[in-house]
Amino acid sequence: MISIKDLTKVFQTKDQEVRAVDELNLSIDKGEIFGVIGYSGAGKSTFIRLLNRLEEPTSGEIELNNENLTGLKKNELRLARQEIGMIFQHFNLLWSRTVFDNIAFPLEIAGVSRKKREERVNELIELVGLSGRGGSYPSQLSGGQKQRVGIARALANNPKVLLCDEATSALDPETTDSILDLLVGINEKLGLTIVLITHEMHVIRKICHRVAVMEQGKVVESGDVLDVFLHPKEKVTKRFVDQVMGDPDREDSLNLIQENYRSGEVIQLHFVGENTNQALISDLSRKFEVDVNILHGKITQTQKGAYGTMLVQLVGDEEVVNQSIEYIRTTSVEVEVSPNA
């Protein structure tokens, strides 16, 4: 669907050359929700603006359905952009136009007849949950309603791809969840490919099928969301996973736990999918003469299934503790032994 090869964007400032996107390579499948996450300055906003050439790449290629977007002339690009919708963090609505007219605007530009515009706009108003608000102005809408208008407008020309540039960052948590649910519904109903950038792992966790982690203009890690949650390799990825799993100071926490629980072995358990329902703790207590103290635990849901972690202390004879750890390794639950402080 989307193939990105050696994509690079260099900005020349007064003092230095800044490589905002640095030889980035990605492949995004048709019909998936693909997340790009990174902290401020990682290059993610520049990257998504390169996808529809709101920013011109310094080098590299972007292919959409085997068409090289980077090689298109201005008129050709205008037509190609009709297949790429985009929603923004701050909505970018026309404040002097009603909800209806905001959604109709790209259809006017495309030369769609008044009758067909009216049919399409009413269909979209219904789709995004704004029935009865077509005559309202943006100033009369909540943040979530404004973003629903932005989504409807982005869908006006039946695009194949929807780009979301920090689309929920200006919204409160409850409204964020409702917008994310809407995007999932649109993805499932229309088969739309969605590329979403964010700095919030909650957004990735809730709706994305795959994710790429950006740092200093590069993709440092990518894969299925559940796999990235389970096996984060890079330090920046671990920080993002800890946003959702509730321990942003994981290393400090482990050191503190080791100081306070020197008499036993502290281990971290990772549960995936159906394993989150596994009665492992009671099973250990029955099979081995060890005391199991639960120190911390959390389960979260991704598009591919549940993922849970639990930090426990095993107290008992050293040999028996080691036997219990080896027993855990024979199950489908992964175990990580914390290093001694």
Side-chain angles (χ1 to χ4, degrees):
M1 179 63 176
I2 302 175
S3 177
I4 300 155
K5 301 175 183 176
D6 298 325
L7 188 63
T8 299
K9 177 64 179 181
V10 178
F11 292 101
Q12 188 66 52
T13 68
K14 184 178 180 180
D15 300 320
Q16 62 180 337
E17 183 180 270
V18 178
R19 299 180 74 85
V21 175
D22 192 2
E23 296 186 354
L24 188 147
N25 291 275
L26 275 180
S27 179
I28 299 170
D29 297 332
K30 182 179 180 180
E32 76 172 332
I33 303 178
F34 191 96
V36 179
I37 192 167
Y39 289 107
S40 179
K44 59 189 187 298
S45 289
T46 301
F47 162 69
I48 205 165
R49 290 171 64 84
L50 288 168
L51 290 185
N52 59 0
R53 283 181 57 187
L54 287 178
E55 289 284 356
E56 288 294 329
T58 303
S59 61
E61 292 184 356
I62 303 163
E63 288 188 0
L64 173 62
N65 286 336
N66 298 317
E67 181 177 42
N68 187 354
L69 297 183
T70 46
L72 298 181
K73 293 182 172 61
K74 187 174 291 186
N75 289 338
E76 296 170 327
L77 179 61
R78 188 178 297 113
L79 290 175
R81 278 181 175 153
Q82 292 183 11
E83 296 190 344
I84 307 172
M86 189 165 186
I87 57 176
F88 303 87
Q89 177 180 358
H90 297 296
F91 320 126
N92 285 15
L93 302 181
L94 299 169
W95 297 93
S96 61
R97 284 180 170 240
T98 63
V99 167
F100 185 99
D101 290 337
N102 264 281
I103 299 170
F105 187 59
L107 297 171
E108 292 176 31
I109 294 174
V112 177
S113 68
R114 181 183 294 273
K115 182 180 179 181
K116 288 186 177 180
R117 285 204 307 266
E118 186 172 335
E119 291 174 356
R120 180 61 176 158
V121 172
N122 287 332
E123 177 186 324
L124 289 166
I125 286 175
E126 181 75 24
L127 177 67
V128 301
L130 288 175
S131 297
R133 301 309 300 265
S136 300
Y137 288 88
S139 61
Q140 299 170 313
L141 303 178
S142 67
Q145 288 171 330
K146 290 172 188 172
Q147 195 56 284
R148 287 172 186 269
V149 177
I151 292 170
R153 182 185 58 188
L155 297 176
N157 283 313
N158 291 298
K160 294 183 173 65
V161 177
L162 180 63
L163 307 180
C164 305
D165 186 3
E166 296 277 11
T168 60
S169 294
L171 306 176
D172 62 76
E174 185 175 349
T175 306
T176 290
D177 282 345
S178 71
I179 294 298
L180 295 179
D181 288 340
L182 174 61
L183 291 174
V184 170
I186 289 169
N187 168 257
E188 293 174 348
K189 184 174 182 178
L190 305 180
L192 195 66
T193 303
I194 298 177
V195 183
L196 180 151
I197 69 162
T198 183
H199 62 273
E200 299 171 297
M201 200 62 171
H202 162 73
V203 173
I204 301 294
R205 187 272 304 173
K206 187 172 176 66
I207 72 169
C208 294
H209 303 113
R210 291 195 297 144
V211 61
V213 182
M214 284 190 70
E215 188 174 33
Q216 295 182 341
K218 294 179 179 291
V219 171
V220 296
E221 190 164 350
S222 65
D224 288 346
V225 169
L226 190 55
D227 291 339
V228 170
F229 264 79
L230 185 58
H231 301 292
K233 297 180 178 64
E234 300 295 326
K235 187 174 181 180
V236 62
T237 311
K238 292 176 182 177
R239 288 171 63 192
F240 278 124
V241 170
D242 285 339
Q243 279 184 7
V244 174
M245 298 312 293
D247 191 3
D249 302 309
R250 181 175 180 273
E251 296 301 324
D252 291 340
S253 298
L254 288 176
N255 289 335
L256 183 61
I257 286 167
Q258 286 289 354
E259 290 176 7
N260 293 330
Y261 295 94
R262 290 183 182 277
S263 59
E265 188 76 74
V266 175
I267 62 174
Q268 186 160 19
L269 306 176
H270 300 271
F271 302 81
V272 182
E274 294 180 359
N275 297 333
T276 53
N277 298 321
Q278 189 169 334
L280 180 64
I281 302 302
S282 58
D283 199 19
L284 276 178
S285 299
R286 286 195 301 268
K287 290 181 180 294
F288 302 95
E289 291 186 9
V290 292
D291 293 324
V292 184
N293 297 325
I294 299 174
L295 307 176
H296 174 77
K298 187 169 184 179
I299 295 175
T300 192
Q301 191 72 32
T302 74
Q303 281 287 312
K304 293 290 185 71
Y307 165 58
T309 62
M310 183 179 292
L311 206 60
V312 301
Q313 177 201 26
L314 302 179
V315 180
D317 180 80
E318 182 178 353
E319 184 177 349
V320 177
V321 168
N322 289 335
Q323 288 173 355
S324 63
I325 292 173
E326 289 306 312
Y327 169 75
I328 297 171
R329 290 193 170 117
T330 66
T331 72
S332 49
V333 175
E334 293 193 22
V335 58
E336 178 184 347
V337 179
S338 300
N340 292 327

